[in-house]
Amino acid sequence: MSVKKGFTSRIARWTLVTRFSYYDLVLLALPVVLLAGLVVSAALSVPFHVGKMTAGLVAAFVLVDAMFKRPPTERSA
């Protein structure tokens, strides 16, 4: 008979946020934001250059936040 050591909930096993670091999410957010800007400009009556510029500004904000506000402090394995 096996005995469980500790308790892990089903939610903790399926949560993807615990598997990714902040910088993994930043790398995921950059193309998602840029593609969302293109989709919004194509689907709505927003000019293409406005959607592209807005998405670029949001992506730049995410990148500046990751590089200067929360820079990596130590090397991960």
Side-chain angles (χ1 to χ4, degrees):
M1 177 156 52
S2 64
V3 177
K4 282 187 170 181
K5 294 181 181 180
F7 174 76
T8 57
S9 69
R10 280 184 243 141
I11 295 171
R13 279 185 277 170
W14 293 104
T15 304
L16 294 176
V17 176
T18 59
R19 296 180 189 169
F20 296 118
S21 71
Y22 170 74
Y23 301 103
D24 293 331
L25 295 177
V26 166
L27 289 175
L28 178 68
L30 291 174
V32 167
V33 165
L34 293 173
L35 286 174
L38 294 177
V39 168
V40 165
S41 67
L44 302 176
S45 63
V46 177
F48 181 71
H49 68 278
V50 173
K52 192 169 58 170
M53 180 187 64
T54 305
L57 288 174
V58 172
F61 175 75
V62 169
L63 192 61
V64 166
D65 182 61
M67 289 176 62
F68 298 111
K69 188 174 180 188
R70 296 185 232 184
T73 56
E74 57 188 52
R75 191 172 185 186
S76 62

